[in-house]
Amino acid sequence: MAASAFIHPALSDESTQQLIDKTCRSVEEYAFCSNTFNQNMKGSSANITALTQITIDQALNNSTNTHSFIFGLLSNTTDPAEKNALTTCENAYRLVTSNFNEATMHFFEGDYGSMLDSERRSPRAQESCITIFSTPPTPPNPVADRNRQMRILIAMAVVTGMELTTKLS
């Protein structure tokens, strides 16, 4: 996504921007993180609960779309190495999507500890879709950018989830 290369000017109030900055300084791509929040806020002010909801929504949306994309690729490939790699990715994204469906349910129940536990199971699953493409035979990776975005969204969700559970304890 070309727009993610540029940081949007702060569209949020000062306290909200401080929360966004704190989260985005904890992940690998500040601009992607900041843009994700600013593009999905419902106004200029958001507390940590609202920012956590944004991360869960965006992670679930991304994992669902990536899973569908991989499923489509998988049904069209005949190369055995690519089919193996995409099968690993399809399984990984099915698990990540399941984890974020659970996280969403726990979020709306107000069970933020369980929400965070669900989110924390996602990095290892998602990582398998990255490492499979560096295991010989190495087919081209058609999901590299989607993996990068998902990795950042998972990190954002975990960081906001930790902040949310810390504030409430």
Side-chain angles (χ1 to χ4, degrees), residues 1-23:
M1 143 194 298
S4 68
F6 303 101
I7 300 174
H8 284 281
L11 304 174
S12 53
D13 64 31
E14 187 176 338
S15 64
T16 302
Q17 192 57 48
Q18 287 175 349
L19 286 171
I20 290 171
D21 287 345
K22 183 176 182 180
T23 300

Side-chain angles (χ1 to χ4, degrees), residues 5 15 23 29-30 37 43 47 49 56 71 74 81-83 95 107 109 119 123 128 131 139 143 161 166:
S15 64
T23 300
E29 279 188 42
Y30 180 95
F37 284 125
N47 62 17
T49 306
I56 293 171
F71 196 77
L74 194 53
E82 185 176 10
K83 191 173 273 297
L95 185 55
F107 175 84
E109 291 171 346
E119 293 171 350
S128 67
T131 57
V143 291
T166 302

Side-chain angles (χ1 to χ4, degrees), residues 110-128:
D111 185 356
Y112 302 129
S114 295
M115 172 203 74
L116 188 56
D117 290 342
S118 295
E119 293 171 350
R120 284 182 167 152
R121 290 194 305 265
S122 295
R124 179 174 287 165
Q126 194 262 334
E127 182 68 24
S128 67

Side-chain angles (χ1 to χ4, degrees), residues 63-73 93 146:
S63 66
T64 301
N65 290 341
T66 301
H67 182 260
S68 295
F69 177 74
I70 292 166
F71 196 77
L73 292 174
Y93 276 91
R146 290 171 184 262

Side-chain angles (χ1 to χ4, degrees), residues 26-57:
S26 300
V27 301
E28 69 185 82
E29 279 188 42
Y30 180 95
F32 177 86
C33 175
S34 180
N35 288 342
T36 298
F37 284 125
N38 282 302
Q39 290 171 0
N40 291 285
M41 284 180 23
K42 296 189 182 356
S44 63
S45 182
N47 62 17
I48 191 61
T49 306
L51 295 180
T52 301
Q53 184 176 0
I54 289 170
T55 65
I56 293 171
D57 290 348

Side-chain angles (χ1 to χ4, degrees), residues 148-160:
R148 177 190 62 80
Q149 290 176 19
M150 192 71 241
R151 186 173 60 245
I152 297 166
L153 290 168
I154 291 170
M156 290 168 61
V158 170
V159 170
T160 57

